[in-house]
Amino acid sequence: MTTIGNNLQQVRTRLDAACTAAGRDAGSVSLLAVSKTFGPEAVREAALAGQRCFGENYVQEAVEKMALVAAMQLPHALEWHCIGPLQSNKTRLVATHFDWVHTVDRLKIAERLSDQRPDGLPPLQVCIQVNVDGGATKAGVAPDEAVALARAVARLPRLALRGVMSIPDAVEGFDAQCAVHARAHAVWVAVRDALAEDGVGGVDTLSLGMTADLDAAVRAGSTMVRVGSGIFGGRHYPAA
Ligand SMILES: *Cc1c(COP(=O)(O)O)cnc(C)c1O
């Protein structure tokens, strides 16, 4: 098996162990493979090892990669998740090419995504990004504004609200990680319950946890972990 295939198997084993340790069913947390900075060949290797969902941060890079991967005629369709910051001038590309967006943190961006989602495609699946630990400069809506934004997003015709996403700053230690992740979980529960009151179902996703902290994220109730370096290895960013 390839290195990426081996890594994927190890991450899946770790994920199952984290579920068991948390008293949750194995398979109750889905795995998003974060392929940013890695080329189409790496995506292909992961796909051939059974991976279906891929996360990308940089829209232009992602769209070019998607075209190259599509030409490879893989045995199953891939699902692409945008997990990077969203700028207004990129929303049309995102609405056209991605299946999911995890980083909606203001209504204006959500409205553009809904307006620009092509008619022939299913609704764009979206999560509200919540800033549970950072200052005013960090991406994500404040926890106490998440429900209002989620309600407004859920009314947009070409979007389907799926839940909440968060990227807490790295902290050392399982207990400290659990504590910050618990705040994201609380926001997700508040959003899910508020939308259920409105009669909106399908809010089933808490996108939380990366290579370093996925065990704590699973303990805190994550339903989708986003793993990059644990699958593809260390990233090398080109010099700016
Ligand atoms: C890069 C990135 C990841 C993956 O991080 P790793 O530490 O490599 O697992 C997950 N989520 C987001 C939003 C990212 O930007």
Side-chain angles (χ1 to χ4, degrees):
M1 208 191 296
T2 65
T3 305
I4 288 173
N6 275 312
N7 290 347
L8 255 175
Q9 205 163 58
Q10 279 176 21
V11 168
R12 290 196 193 111
T13 301
R14 185 179 158 198
L15 202 49
D16 284 346
C19 285
T20 303
R24 303 177 58 187
D25 292 340
S28 59
V29 180
S30 60
L31 175 61
L32 185 65
V34 178
S35 44
K36 65 182 175 203
T37 78
F38 292 94
E41 197 53 43
V43 172
R44 178 177 167 275
E45 279 184 33
L48 292 179
Q51 183 64 28
R52 201 172 71 83
C53 301
F54 291 84
E56 291 281 340
N57 290 56
Y58 311 106
V59 175
Q60 198 65 46
E61 175 198 335
V63 169
E64 288 165 18
K65 198 179 304 181
M66 286 172 196
L68 294 168
V69 170
M72 290 172 163
Q73 313 229 331
L74 295 171
H76 53 87
L78 305 186
E79 190 175 270
W80 293 96
H81 295 231
C82 178
I83 60 170
L86 291 171
Q87 290 155 347
S88 295
N89 62 357
K90 294 281 168 53
T91 53
R92 186 174 297 280
L93 272 179
V94 171
T96 305
H97 293 281
F98 282 88
D99 303 292
W100 282 64
V101 178
H102 292 221
T103 44
V104 170
D105 66 355
R106 50 200 195 279
L107 186 56
K108 183 178 155 236
I109 290 282
E111 287 169 344
R112 289 177 67 92
L113 290 170
S114 182
D115 288 346
Q116 295 169 344
R117 181 68 167 173
D119 283 336
L121 296 179
L124 188 60
Q125 312 293 303
V126 302
C127 290
I128 305 294
Q129 184 178 354
V130 182
N131 174 2
V132 292
D133 62 350
T137 58
K138 193 167 151 166
V141 71
D144 62 357
E145 293 164 6
V147 167
L149 178 59
R151 283 192 149 126
V153 167
R155 285 194 285 268
L156 296 172
R158 301 290 294 137
L159 304 186
L161 180 72
R162 295 297 295 272
V164 164
M165 175 267 208
S166 192
I167 318 172
D169 288 340
V171 290
E172 284 292 320
F174 184 79
D175 291 342
Q177 291 170 356
C178 285
V180 65
H181 285 150
R183 284 186 247 158
H185 182 261
V187 174
W188 177 63
V189 168
V191 165
R192 189 190 58 192
D193 291 353
L195 273 291
E197 260 172 44
D198 296 352
V200 177
V203 183
D204 57 4
T205 301
L206 175 59
S207 165
L208 188 67
M210 317 200 296
T211 300
D213 62 1
L214 76 85
D215 310 85
V218 168
R219 172 64 62 88
S222 171
T223 71
M224 187 186 291
V225 293
R226 310 176 306 263
V227 177
S229 49
I231 296 170
F232 297 105
R235 284 183 292 274
H236 304 281
Y237 292 93

